[in-house]
C-alpha cells in the first residue's frame, strides 16, 4: 500500500514538473521569436516597441505594460508605447522617472509583488489606483540607460523573479 502511494505521489509530482517544463519551454520559444523579430525589423522604434510588447503580452500576464525610450543625456522620456495586456482598457501605470530610478536603485529590475506592503508612499498610491503588482526593467546598453519597461498587475503576486529575469533578456535584446 505505501509503495502504491509513493508511486502515485511521484506520478503527480512528475506531471507537475512536466507541465512546468512545458510552460517554461513555451515562454522561451516566445522570447526566441521575439529576439528574431526585433533583429529582423527595420530601425523603426515604434515597430520594435510594438513587437516587443506583443511578445511581452504572450510571455507574462499583466493588466498594462509600457516601454519608454529615455534621453541618455537627461533621462527624460522621449517616447512611450503602451500595451493593454489582458485587461480591457488596461494601461501601464504612470511611474515618474525619479520614482523608477529610486525603485531600481542601480539594479536592472524592481519587483513589487504586492504594492500595498512596501512601505513606499508612492506605491501605496498606485495600490489605491488598482496597481497591486509592479515590475520595472531597465533597458541598458553597458552603462547607458536607454529605456524602461513597466508592467502592472491588478492582483498581488502577478509577477515573479523568473518573469523579471526573462524580461531583462527582452530588455537586453531591445537595447
Amino acid at each position: 500500500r505505501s509503495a502504491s502511494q509513493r508511486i502515485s505521489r511521484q506520478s503527480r509530482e512528475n506531471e507537475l514538473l512536466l507541465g512546468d517544463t512545458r510552460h517554461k519551454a513555451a515562454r522561451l520559444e516566445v522570447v526566441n521569436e521575439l529576439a528574431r523579430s526585433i533583429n529582423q525589423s527595420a530601425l523603426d522604434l515604434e515597430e520594435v516597441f510594438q513587437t516587443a510588447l506583443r511578445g511581452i503580452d504572450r510571455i507574462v500576464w499583466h493588466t498594462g505594460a509600457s516601454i519608454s525610450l529615455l534621453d541618455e543625456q537627461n533621462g527624460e522620456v522621449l517616447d512611450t508605447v503602451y500595451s493593454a495586456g489582458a485587461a480591457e482598457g488596461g494601461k501601464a501605470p504612470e511611474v515618474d522617472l525619479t520614482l523608477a530610478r529610486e525603485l531600481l536603485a542601480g539594479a536592472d529590475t524592481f519587483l513589487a509583488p504586492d504594492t500595498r506592503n512596501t512601505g513606499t508612499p508612492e506605491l501605496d498610491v498606485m495600490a489605491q489606483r488598482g496597481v497591486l503588482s509592479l515590475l520595472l526593467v531597465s533597458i541598458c546598453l553597458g552603462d547607458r540607460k536607454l529605456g524602461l519597461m513597466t508592467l502592472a498587475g491588478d492582483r498581488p503576486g502577478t509577477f515573479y523573479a523568473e518573469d523579471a529575469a526573462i524580461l531583462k533578456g527582452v530588455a537586453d535584446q531591445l537595447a
Side-chain angles (χ1 to χ4, degrees):
R1 179 175 162 103
S2 86
S4 174
Q5 289 174 334
R6 277 196 316 269
I7 291 171
S8 179
R9 185 178 64 245
Q10 185 65 44
S11 176
R12 284 191 304 274
E13 289 174 9
N14 287 343
E15 286 177 26
L16 289 173
L17 287 172
L18 179 60
D20 185 53
T21 301
R22 286 181 176 155
H23 175 73
K24 287 178 181 177
R27 287 176 74 167
L28 288 175
E29 180 56 34
V30 171
V31 170
N32 286 333
E33 287 175 23
L34 180 56
R36 284 191 301 272
S37 177
I38 289 170
N39 288 335
Q40 292 173 355
S41 67
L43 291 179
D44 175 2
L45 285 178
E46 181 79 18
E47 180 183 333
V48 170
F49 283 4
Q50 288 296 341
T51 299
L53 286 169
R54 283 191 303 273
I56 290 167
D57 290 349
R58 292 175 55 201
I59 295 168
V60 179
W61 186 94
H62 61 86
T63 55
S66 69
I67 299 175
S68 298
L69 179 65
L70 305 178
D71 183 312
E72 290 182 60
Q73 304 304 316
N74 59 23
E76 295 297 315
V77 175
L78 297 174
D79 189 21
T80 300
V81 179
Y82 296 96
S83 168
E88 279 225 17
K91 184 180 174 191
E94 299 292 329
V95 179
D96 74 44
L97 290 178
T98 303
L99 174 60
R101 284 187 188 115
E102 288 174 15
L103 294 173
L104 285 165
D108 290 332
T109 61
F110 170 80
L111 174 61
D114 190 342
T115 57
R116 300 171 299 182
N117 298 325
T118 63
T120 306
E122 295 87 353
L123 291 179
D124 290 340
V125 170
M126 293 178 80
Q128 291 169 2
R129 294 182 187 155
V131 176
L132 299 182
S133 296
L134 180 68
L135 175 58
L136 303 173
V137 181
S138 293
I139 301 172
C140 301
L141 189 59
D143 290 339
R144 296 168 51 200
K145 302 284 184 194
L146 304 176
L148 175 68
M149 255 189 266
T150 306
L151 285 87
D154 64 357
R155 59 184 183 226
T158 300
F159 309 113
Y160 300 95
E162 179 184 319
D163 299 323
I166 287 174
L167 292 177
K168 181 58 186 153
V170 171
D172 290 345
Q173 199 65 45
L174 283 171

